[in-house]
């Protein structure tokens, strides 16, 4: 869906989506995921933060600003899709048919956040994505497990393949996967040192004792910011229901997502993943690619980031933090790359939102403040370059 309103020489593109992740497992929800409920100042429902809540406060900001002043200070073009959580498959065809939809002077990334201390994060980038499914069949049918000393087990076979993708310390070991990764510059590292890293708070939220590979301190912060990922999202094989069923599985599959950073092309990563498996004799493990998305980063010193910074004044007392990228993926390359548009986030998702997990929520207070910031941002964005 595309809609535009407002006037003026400058146009900001608000990239949003209304589709959500599956709510499963349903038994972990404290209230029905599609029946919103309010508890302790938070709104609970699937998608309430990612991304319907963020979309709502963008719309509320536009409505309030129009009611107050009669017209917006700039053009606001909403591009709201229903496939962001899958692969944004129809966004590229839209771009090819209506390229004018992607003309503008800047863009807002779908979401926005505050950190563990309530400090607004002015995020200037999104990671790319390669989402692959690895599958293997070793038998004509599930067999009695009494023959497991002779019959090849699909689950073991898949685990052996997966084990070649990443080392126990978290290093990605896919042949050539790290070749295109650029080392952070001295300036980037210097800025990163000015940003807080709430290590103990992160561990408390996730109830963990240590990070992968024992990383801690600044090296952990560098890895979190400038390193790609190779993550197993799920594995299916054999008997997983209650009770006992002694079988040797004939089939196994795993979903693997890889978050990419600038200079990593998902098409090249797909080729390297396939070649890596083949070199190690896993030609029987098939790869199906469900999503490929390019990363896209904006300079943290771009004027659009300055505008977002000023928009928080008087609404958030906490200092604003300029962040290089979110950990997640959004189709910003498709939206911004044709005209090299700068981008930034505005929003109020805190570390308790549990996006993509049961009991997703959004602080009502932060949602209200995010709407105010968005309205202020439109004025600040419209004024960029006015003095020159």
């Amino acid at each position: 869906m595309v809609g535009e309103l407002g006037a003026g020489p400058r146009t900001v593109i608000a990239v949003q989506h209304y589709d959500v992740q599956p709510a499963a497992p349903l038994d972990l929800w404290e209230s029905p995921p599609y029946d919103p409920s309010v508890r302790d100042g938070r709104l609970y429902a699937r998608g309430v933060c990612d991304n319907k809540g963020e979309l709502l406060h963008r719309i509320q900001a536009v409505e309030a600003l129009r009611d107050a002043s009669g017209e917006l200070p700039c053009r606001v073009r909403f591009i709201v899709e229903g496939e962001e959580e899958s692969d944004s498959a129809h966004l590229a065809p839209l771009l090819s048919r209506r390229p004018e939809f992607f003309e503008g002077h800047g863009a807002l990334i779908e979401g926005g956040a505050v950190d563990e201390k309530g400090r607004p994060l002015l995020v200037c980038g999104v990671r790319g994505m390669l989402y692959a499914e690895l599958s293997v069949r070793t038998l004509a049918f599930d067999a009695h497990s009494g023959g497991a000393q002779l019959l090849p087990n699909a689950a073991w076979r898949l685990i052996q393949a997966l084990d070649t993708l990443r080392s126990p310390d978290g290093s990605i070991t896919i042949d050539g996967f790290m070749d295109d990764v650029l080392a952070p510059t001295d300036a980037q590292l210097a800025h990163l040192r000015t940003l807080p890293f709430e290590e103990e708070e992160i561990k408390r939220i996730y109830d963990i004792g240590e990070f992968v590979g024992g990383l801690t301190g600044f090296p952990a912060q560098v890895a979190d910011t400038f390193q790609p990922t190779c993550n197993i999202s799920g594995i299916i094989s054999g008997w997983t229901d209650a009770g006992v069923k002694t079988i040797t599985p004939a089939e196994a599959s795993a979903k693997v997502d890889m978050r990419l950073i600038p200079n990593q092309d998902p098409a090249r990563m797909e080729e390297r993943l396939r070649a890596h498996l083949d070199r190690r004799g896993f030609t029987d493990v098939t790869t199906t690619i469900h999503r490929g998305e390019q990363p896209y980063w904006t300079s943290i010193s771009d004027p659009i980031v300055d505008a977002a910074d000023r928009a928080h004044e008087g609404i958030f007392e906490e200092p604003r933090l300029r962040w290089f990228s979110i950990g997640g993926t959004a189709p910003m390359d498709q939206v911004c790359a044709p005209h090299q548009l700068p981008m930034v986030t505005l929003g109020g998702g805190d570390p308790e939102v549990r996006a993509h997990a049961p009991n997703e929520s959004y602080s009502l207070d932060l949602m209200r403040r995010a709407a105010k910031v968005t309205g202020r941002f439109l004025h600040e964005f419209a004024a960029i370059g006015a003095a020159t």
Side-chain angles (χ1 to χ4, degrees):
M1 299 186 294
V2 179
E4 182 178 308
L5 65 168
R10 292 179 60 78
T11 300
V12 62
I13 302 174
V15 181
Q16 301 284 256
H17 66 92
Y18 59 83
D19 59 321
V20 299
Q21 284 281 321
L26 298 177
D27 60 317
L28 296 183
W29 285 81
E30 295 180 16
S31 56
Y34 298 110
D35 185 10
S37 63
V38 176
R39 301 192 299 274
D40 300 322
R42 301 186 72 88
L43 182 62
Y44 288 81
R46 169 52 84 228
V48 70
C49 177
D50 187 10
N51 177 242
K52 295 180 180 180
E54 300 283 358
L55 170 59
L56 180 60
H57 76 62
R58 300 263 199 272
I59 295 172
Q60 290 171 330
V62 167
E63 290 176 337
L65 200 55
R66 285 208 307 179
D67 290 345
S69 60
E71 186 55 275
L72 301 180
C74 61
R75 297 180 186 274
V76 181
R77 184 178 305 129
F78 283 92
I79 297 180
V80 186
E81 62 164 330
E83 297 178 321
E84 193 276 341
E85 296 289 10
S86 50
D87 60 0
S88 298
H90 292 91
L91 196 58
L94 176 64
L95 173 60
S96 64
R97 293 171 190 159
R98 300 295 298 271
E100 69 274 14
F101 286 166
F102 300 84
E103 296 174 355
H105 302 87
L108 287 173
I109 308 173
E110 66 176 58
V114 299
D115 72 358
E116 294 80 7
K117 301 295 185 181
R119 293 166 292 210
L121 305 181
L122 307 182
V123 183
C124 306
V126 296
R127 293 192 178 215
M129 163 86 76
L130 179 67
Y131 196 103
E133 183 171 359
L134 276 58
S135 303
V136 65
R137 172 180 281 276
T138 57
L139 299 168
F141 50 85
D142 292 342
H144 190 292
S145 66
Q149 70 273 34
L150 298 178
L151 301 178
N153 183 309
W156 279 119
R157 181 63 174 167
L158 182 61
I159 290 170
Q160 291 161 0
L162 292 171
D163 192 48
T164 71
L165 305 184
R166 202 187 83 159
S167 65
D169 68 0
S171 301
I172 300 173
T173 51
I174 300 170
D175 295 341
F177 188 86
M178 301 296 292
D179 289 356
D180 299 334
V181 174
L182 300 177
T185 66
D186 290 342
Q188 287 176 320
L189 291 175
H191 178 74
L192 189 64
R193 289 186 183 277
T194 70
L195 299 177
F197 183 58
E198 304 294 345
E199 181 171 338
E200 295 309 314
E201 183 68 6
I202 296 170
K203 291 176 181 177
R204 181 195 67 79
I205 290 172
Y206 291 101
D207 193 20
I208 57 176
E210 65 176 15
F211 295 138
V212 172
L215 281 173
T216 188
F218 191 63
Q221 191 176 10
V222 172
D224 186 49
T225 306
F226 295 111
Q227 290 295 309
T229 71
C230 180
N231 175 66
I232 299 173
S233 296
I235 302 176
I236 299 175
S237 185
W239 178 254
T240 58
D241 289 348
V244 176
K245 186 178 183 182
T246 52
I247 61 168
T248 298
E251 296 178 88
S253 65
K255 301 287 184 68
V256 177
D257 68 79
M258 305 172 188
R259 304 285 181 169
L260 311 177
I261 62 172
N263 210 44
Q264 285 190 302
D265 178 79
R268 289 199 304 272
M269 298 306 106
E270 176 186 351
E271 293 172 355
R272 291 171 185 177
L273 172 63
R274 185 65 263 169
H276 170 92
L277 293 171
D278 291 346
R279 287 192 196 99
R280 284 155 181 75
F282 293 105
T283 56
D284 55 327
V285 177
T286 63
T287 53
T288 303
I289 304 303
H290 294 289
R291 183 176 183 182
E293 192 76 58
Q294 294 278 358
Y296 191 85
W297 288 19
T298 289
S299 168
I300 60 172
S301 60
D302 192 273
I304 196 174
V305 189
D306 296 336
D309 195 325
R310 292 190 297 271
H312 286 78
E313 294 176 359
I315 300 173
F316 282 85
E317 296 180 0
E318 299 81 1
R320 281 78 67 188
L321 305 176
R322 301 189 183 209
W323 222 257
F324 293 103
S325 176
I326 58 174
T329 301
M332 301 311 295
D333 181 79
Q334 296 187 53
V335 174
C336 296
H339 301 284
Q340 291 299 296
L341 302 184
M343 63 181 185
V344 71
T345 56
L346 296 172
D350 61 22
E352 305 291 344
V353 296
R354 299 194 181 191
H356 294 198
N359 301 306
E360 182 179 354
S361 68
Y362 203 159
S363 162
L364 294 176
D365 173 63
L366 288 174
M367 184 184 291
R368 284 189 289 267
R369 288 202 273 171
K372 293 178 181 179
V373 169
T374 302
R376 288 273 304 276
F377 169 78
L378 296 181
H379 278 288
E380 296 290 346
F381 175 82
I384 293 176
T388 58

